[in-house]
Amino acid sequence: MTIAELKHTLDSLRNLTAENEIVEFKEAKTGYDFTKLGKYFSALSNEANLKGKPYAWLVFGVENKKHSIVGSQFRQQRKDLDSLKSEIANKTTNRITFIEIYELNEPDGRVVMFQIPAAPKGFPIAFDGHYYGRDDEELSPLNLEEIERIRAQATTEDWSAALVPDATIDDLDEEAIALARKNFKNKFPEKASEVEVWDNITFLNKAKITIKGKITRTAIILLGKEESEHFINPAEAKVRWLLKDAQGNDKDYAIFGCPLILAVDKVYAKIRNLKYRYIKDGTLFPDEVNQYEPYSIREALNNCIAHQDYTKHGRINVVEMDDQLIFTNLGSFIPGSVEKVVKEDAPEEHYRNRFLASAMFNLKMVDTAGGGIKKIFNYQRERFFPMPDYDLSGGKVKVTISGKILDMEYARLLARNKDLTLEEIIMLDKVQKKQILTEFEEKHLKSKKLIEGRKPNYYIGLKVVEKTGQKAAYSKNKAFDKSYYLDLIEKAIREHTSLERSDVDELLWNKLPDWMDEKQKKNKIGNLLSELRMKEKIQNTGSFSKPKWSLKK
């Protein structure tokens, strides 16, 4: 928006007789609580959906009665405002965040305007695991009826079940139908003898791929001939495999289209599932495993096919690198969070492509009974490999599966520690990868003394260290008592008469904990010198820009 458009929008909002479900004013003169801001984000997003509006507004620097401008000092640096987008995304369903954050410097003070998108159809927005709404002007939990009303939006139309009027069974691939029959018999062995006598139309109806003999979009996607893809245009039913080298340069690629039931095996054949060797416990002989569990590759790819948002007209991607596979499909992650899926280990209540998911279940391509994602996590755990990474931002789902061990002793012993649940291992895996923990994860791991350090630089705690043989790494992360550093500085000055700041840095740098970055170490040393100076133990006999520290007589 231009400045003029922003001013017009602000004037329109201020001219409202009162706040409503999709407009909220806050003075926020000096700041505002992040958690409460997140709750308002959830509430306004959900209310915009229910009112059929594309977005809602949260305005800081305007009082909520007469709507006069009072000015706000909330996050005055632009970079701090911009970082709020990722901070909110980390706590919301499907990583939904602000459309934009605007600033207006009015004569009466600074105004910050948050443009909040309406919750997507079918997906109420939660903040930190809870759904919020508005009762007139008041913030309140989103009631069950409203949650179901939003969710029902996703069930009114199933793109994958739509009929393709001009398509016939002749537009389906015979080899694909033969494989579908084989998979169906494996899935339902009690029906194997019946399947043998069914003609193709009967089989496709029974497998819920066609409807009363009529071709569906699902039939084209899974079983359609390569030239039949035009029936679902402008949607695409393609999987692109891309091979990259260690520097990220493209080395090879291939694109596979209909029928996708055959494309899965073609993509799998392209992936170089090399042998990985390591020493197992209790033996001197190396053990060999494939870099990737075959089930994990097929499950991840089939999930992309089942959950792709075909209305976005994009392709599914499989990127192969030296030590990891990356799968991406367009569309939001319907369950909301991977942690929820792993913990509940149950079928989802809602599917984007219900008809397609059902057909793939019948053809033994996916497991709609739940547990597929959790199986991938457990396979990684059993092989001592890192947990899969899920990135749900940017309107797509990105899954990364690692094909190597990050830390042999840590991964092997931690994965076999019977005291830890899979959920706890997932949390500790985030610590090992230096990823941000949620407030709940921080509290849980701290309560069990599994992590130590300061946010965000946590490291594995002593309780786990003692079981995994990482005592040296623990000691490097654990700081000495402050008195140790103060005594060391005094002793060094006494021995050398005086020390410059660079000398003090060199003296303490490697003795400070590894979790500190360069800036934190600089600040820590500066604070130690200031404390000694204030206690009149040392004095600066140099200049402000180039201090020289000596003992004070």
Side-chain angles (χ1 to χ4, degrees):
M1 285 190 186
T2 65
I3 297 296
E5 290 172 331
L6 275 177
K7 287 179 178 290
H8 176 73
T9 300
L10 179 60
D11 289 342
S12 298
L13 297 176
R14 291 176 60 206
N15 285 334
L16 293 171
T17 54
E19 293 175 328
N20 56 41
E21 288 87 346
I22 59 171
V23 177
E24 174 68 26
F25 296 107
K26 293 292 177 189
E27 293 188 9
K29 288 183 178 179
T30 58
Y32 199 74
D33 179 69
F34 172 75
T35 299
K36 198 162 185 181
L37 187 152
K39 292 179 180 180
Y40 272 108
F41 180 96
S42 167
L44 291 166
S45 179
N46 290 326
E47 292 294 346
N49 172 292
L50 293 168
K51 298 295 183 294
K53 301 296 184 181
Y55 48 79
W57 289 99
L58 174 62
V59 183
F60 281 3
V62 177
E63 63 91 29
N64 67 347
K65 296 300 181 184
K66 295 182 179 179
H67 302 168
S68 56
I69 296 175
V70 296
S72 172
Q73 297 181 31
F74 178 80
R75 297 202 180 195
Q76 292 183 291
Q77 298 296 321
R78 185 66 217 187
K79 61 182 179 65
D80 293 333
L81 272 182
D82 290 337
S83 69
L84 192 61
K85 285 192 172 186
S86 61
E87 293 171 31
I88 287 290
N90 288 335
K91 297 260 188 183
T92 57
T93 309
N94 294 322
R95 292 183 56 81
I96 300 293
T97 190
F98 302 105
I99 296 176
E100 191 52 84
I101 304 174
Y102 301 103
E103 291 179 277
L104 268 178
N105 290 307
E106 295 289 88
D108 294 325
R110 172 175 172 262
V111 176
V112 184
M113 302 170 64
F114 300 93
Q115 192 176 14
I116 299 172
K121 288 186 177 181
F123 308 105
I125 297 302
F127 178 78
D128 216 6
H130 299 282
Y131 300 107
Y132 295 94
R134 303 261 281 168
D135 185 2
D136 290 327
E137 298 180 19
E138 298 299 320
L139 185 70
S140 63
L142 193 65
N143 66 53
L144 185 60
E145 184 273 331
E146 291 172 322
I147 292 174
E148 291 306 318
R149 205 192 320 162
I150 294 177
R151 283 178 171 168
Q153 296 165 357
T155 64
T156 55
E157 181 181 351
D158 183 354
W159 181 92
S160 66
L163 298 179
V164 184
D166 298 330
T168 70
I169 193 168
D170 293 332
D171 294 302
L172 304 185
D173 185 276
E174 291 184 4
E175 183 184 352
I177 294 175
L179 179 58
R181 281 179 174 271
K182 178 183 176 181
N183 289 355
F184 187 86
K185 288 189 289 186
N186 287 337
K187 184 70 177 181
F188 305 103
E190 71 279 4
K191 297 181 180 180
S193 58
E194 295 179 58
V195 176
E196 292 296 335
V197 299
W198 291 342
D199 60 21
N200 281 342
I201 287 293
T202 301
F203 163 68
L204 294 172
N205 286 339
K206 295 282 189 181
K208 297 182 180 178
I209 299 169
T210 57
I211 299 175
K212 294 181 179 181
K214 295 180 180 179
I215 305 301
T216 63
R217 286 170 174 163
T218 288
I220 298 296
I221 290 170
L222 296 181
L223 308 179
K225 292 178 179 177
E226 185 176 357
E227 61 269 23
S228 69
E229 187 182 354
H230 71 88
F231 284 116
I232 61 171
N233 188 56
E236 287 192 66
K238 284 188 171 68
V239 179
R240 177 172 54 186
W241 165 79
L242 183 62
L243 177 65
K244 290 180 175 285
D245 62 20
Q247 286 71 45
N249 301 313
D250 295 350
K251 293 180 64 179
D252 197 5
Y253 80 97
I255 297 174
F256 304 97
C258 298
L260 291 190
I261 192 173
L262 299 181
V264 172
D265 283 337
K266 292 176 182 177
V267 174
Y268 181 81
K270 281 287 185 181
I271 294 172
R272 305 166 305 163
N273 200 357
L274 305 177
K275 293 293 183 182
Y276 189 91
R277 305 182 76 192
Y278 59 92
I279 305 295
K280 292 185 70 175
D281 286 344
T283 177
L284 295 177
F285 298 98
D287 193 27
E288 279 191 346
V289 296
N290 290 328
Q291 274 189 298
Y292 312 103
E293 173 62 38
Y295 173 89
S296 298
I297 297 175
R298 295 178 186 275
E299 177 72 13
L301 179 52
N302 281 323
N303 276 343
C304 287
I305 295 171
H307 302 299
Q308 169 87 336
D309 188 343
Y310 293 94
T311 65
K312 293 185 179 294
H313 317 151
R315 296 173 178 175
I316 294 164
N317 289 297
V318 179
V319 180
E320 179 183 353
M321 306 184 77
D322 285 348
D323 53 14
Q324 62 182 11
L325 292 175
I326 301 172
F327 301 82
T328 63
N329 69 271
L330 296 176
S332 57
F333 189 69
I334 293 178
S337 75
V338 178
E339 291 80 3
K340 172 179 177 288
V341 173
V342 172
K343 183 177 180 180
E344 294 184 358
D345 193 22
E348 277 304 308
E349 298 173 357
H350 305 284
Y351 290 88
R352 174 176 291 109
N353 305 305
R354 299 186 305 283
F355 195 80
L356 175 60
S358 176
M360 293 180 71
F361 172 74
N362 291 336
L363 301 186
K364 207 176 179 179
M365 296 177 72
V366 296
D367 185 4
T368 56
I373 291 178
K374 187 169 183 177
K375 285 181 184 177
I376 298 177
F377 275 80
N378 275 322
Y379 275 125
Q380 293 294 95
R381 172 182 181 171
E382 290 167 7
R383 295 148 62 84
F384 320 139
F385 284 12
M387 296 290 102
D389 284 321
Y390 279 74
D391 182 353
L392 310 180
S393 62
K396 65 183 178 181
V397 178
K398 176 181 176 182
V399 183
T400 303
I401 301 177
S402 178
K404 70 174 184 179
I405 292 174
L406 292 180
D407 185 305
M408 173 64 72
E409 294 305 317
Y410 168 82
R412 180 189 300 164
L413 296 178
L414 189 61
R416 292 183 174 180
N417 187 333
K418 303 300 181 184
D419 295 336
L420 298 175
T421 65
L422 179 59
E423 289 78 12
E424 289 169 338
I425 290 177
I426 293 171
M427 295 178 197
L428 290 168
D429 183 70
K430 290 173 70 174
V431 175
Q432 177 127 323
K433 294 173 182 173
K434 307 298 182 187
Q435 296 175 354
I436 296 173
L437 296 174
T438 66
E439 186 176 346
F440 169 79
E441 290 168 341
E442 290 173 6
K443 289 181 179 178
H444 181 80
L445 294 178
K446 279 186 173 182
S447 69
K448 290 204 162 190
K449 298 184 178 178
L450 294 174
I451 59 171
E452 296 187 36
R454 295 181 180 178
K455 183 178 182 178
N457 301 302
Y458 292 117
Y459 54 90
I460 304 302
L462 183 59
K463 184 173 181 179
V464 172
V465 169
E466 290 174 339
K467 294 182 179 181
T468 60
Q470 285 192 317
K471 294 180 181 178
Y474 171 82
S475 296
K476 289 171 69 178
N477 277 311
K478 185 73 174 176
F480 293 102
D481 290 336
K482 184 169 64 174
S483 59
Y484 167 82
Y485 298 117
L486 297 174
D487 290 343
L488 198 60
I489 295 172
E490 277 195 82
K491 182 179 179 182
I493 293 175
R494 186 175 292 108
E495 289 176 349
H496 301 286
T497 307
S498 65
L499 293 178
E500 295 182 0
R501 174 57 194 260
S502 58
D503 298 323
V504 181
D505 286 350
E506 184 178 354
L507 174 69
L508 299 184
W509 202 263
N510 292 330
K511 295 177 176 60
L512 292 169
D514 277 4
W515 62 261
M516 285 185 171
D517 59 27
E518 183 174 341
K519 182 179 179 180
Q520 289 171 316
K521 287 185 176 184
K522 284 278 188 184
N523 290 339
K524 176 70 173 179
I525 293 172
N527 291 338
L528 291 168
L529 289 169
S530 294
E531 183 169 337
L532 286 172
R533 178 182 58 79
M534 293 177 69
K535 289 182 176 180
E536 298 190 344
K537 298 279 188 178
I538 62 174
Q539 59 184 350
N540 180 12
T541 56
S543 64
F544 178 80
S545 60
K546 193 173 181 180
K548 180 181 288 186
W549 299 100
S550 58
L551 293 179
K552 191 167 186 178
K553 297 179 182 179

